Amino acid sequence: MIPIRPHILKMQPYSPGKPISEVKRELGLQEVVKLASNENPFGPSPRAVEAVRAAASDLHLYPDAAAYELRTRLSERFGVPFEQIVVGNGSDELIHLLGLALLGDPEDEVIVGHPSFVRYDAAAHLAPCKLVSVPLGEDLRFDLAAMAAAVTPRTKMLFIANPNNPTGTVVRKAELDALVSTLPPQVTLVLDEAYFEFAEHLPEFPNSVDYLRAGKNVIGLRTFSKAYGLAGVRLGYGFAPAALTDAIHRIREPFNVNSLALVAGVAALEDGEHVRKTVENNRRGQSRLAGAFEAHGAKPYESFANFVFADLGRPAQPVFRALLNRGVIARSGEVFGRPTCLRVSIGTEAETDRFIEAFDAAMRETAAPSEARS
């Protein structure tokens, strides 16, 4: 009888997309395309790969615990003071550290949208404190009015993923300005901008840095996993008021970001061409996937991330399995509480071709008899 804390047992382990090796092994396939985890189809910047190779001979040394060079480059790039920047083992770790820093009473409340990134829920459960889940609106965008109405004197944190995962939808600046203006001082608004690079071209897209400069109690979280293609080394960063970054430095592990991630991040920041190529391919891929869904009567939601989320109008799990049998890994909406939806990451043009061909076949194969006749 191991005395594990009861609230831990209420949590579900994170459910990642199926890895390529597992699908090959289970189904006996030789070629598999993975479009389930929103990874960069072009991989990391060649500059980052070279930086990692060069740093490999120093693996016997501990990393720079202060992440001085990376934080300096981030400060220069985004115009945020050095002391207001933190880095983490992915932005997931920063979410966890924010929970440790800000939540301390079972009556504290954390407000999240649903569906959204599940690690926000984990910050509340681990405290443990009260999780307040507000459903997304009909267009699968955050219902900011409902979230504002859910705020009480016990609310400590409010999470907004912008663009949102798994839907790809965004909150516009005017909407967010209105929410920020209503939040009481004790509420920290966490803007998770993991897909920032795919949405920053929108004139009305809000930027966490602007709120930070205005002295608002707002935190911006970003990552090198998506546009920069460094998911495998786990590297995230955040912008926050200096008092909060100081608290995070007090509670984080001494060497929370490994040395290879640090040098890869610095090199990736210098390769703007790699990010530009990624973003341009993403826009083309979004359009093609949206067309493929619409051709089968499905509803793709307007996405500003590196994936498309679509409602098939019928259970998505059979389609997911039919795609898997054809060597294409997508993400079923069941894990997000949307069993009729499918999320598909943007791949290369060839991978998108492969998905569209497999999706056409999967939709025909899984159609009800009346649909098949029509």
Side-chain angles (χ1 to χ4, degrees), residues 5 15 30 43 46 56 80 97 103 121 144 153 156 165 172 189 205 209 212 217 224 227 234 238 256 310 327 355 367:
R5 293 185 293 168
S15 175
Q30 297 299 313
V80 176
L97 294 175
L103 306 173
D121 300 26
L144 298 191
K156 292 295 180 67
N165 180 14
R172 265 66 174 186
L189 172 61
F205 187 71
V209 174
L212 187 65
N217 188 13
F224 283 89
R234 312 303 302 123
N256 64 321
F355 168 78

Side-chain angles (χ1 to χ4, degrees), residues 25-185:
R25 186 173 59 251
E26 286 183 354
L27 301 178
L29 299 173
Q30 297 299 313
E31 294 185 12
V32 173
V33 172
K34 184 183 179 187
L35 301 174
S37 299
N38 310 335
E39 295 151 332
N40 189 320
F42 298 127
S45 159
R47 296 189 188 186
V49 173
E50 184 54 39
V52 168
R53 287 197 182 103
S57 60
D58 291 330
L59 292 183
H60 60 295
L61 302 175
Y62 285 107
D64 173 13
Y68 178 82
E69 185 175 5
L70 178 58
R71 290 169 65 203
T72 297
R73 299 295 179 86
L74 289 168
S75 175
E76 294 168 349
R77 170 64 63 86
F78 297 108
V80 176
F82 179 89
E83 64 273 11
Q84 292 187 312
I85 298 174
V86 289
V87 297
N89 183 38
S91 53
D92 308 52
E93 184 195 27
L94 296 177
I95 293 168
H96 174 62
L97 294 175
L98 287 171
L100 292 178
L102 297 172
L103 306 173
D105 189 299
E107 297 302 313
D108 288 344
E109 296 172 352
V110 175
I111 298 176
V112 301
H114 180 76
S116 193
F117 188 45
V118 296
R119 298 311 295 174
Y120 311 148
D121 300 26
H125 291 318
L126 288 170
C129 68
K130 184 179 179 182
L131 178 69
V132 180
S133 184
V134 178
L136 301 184
E138 290 184 7
D139 53 358
L140 294 192
R141 297 173 65 246
F142 283 98
D143 187 340
L144 298 191
M147 296 181 90
V151 172
T152 76
R154 301 298 311 185
T155 304
K156 292 295 180 67
M157 301 176 74
L158 191 156
F159 283 95
I160 293 178
N162 203 34
N164 186 36
N165 180 14
T167 63
T169 51
V170 297
V171 170
R172 265 66 174 186
K173 186 177 186 303
E175 300 172 288
L176 196 59
D177 286 349
L179 174 67
V180 171
S181 69
T182 67
L183 294 178

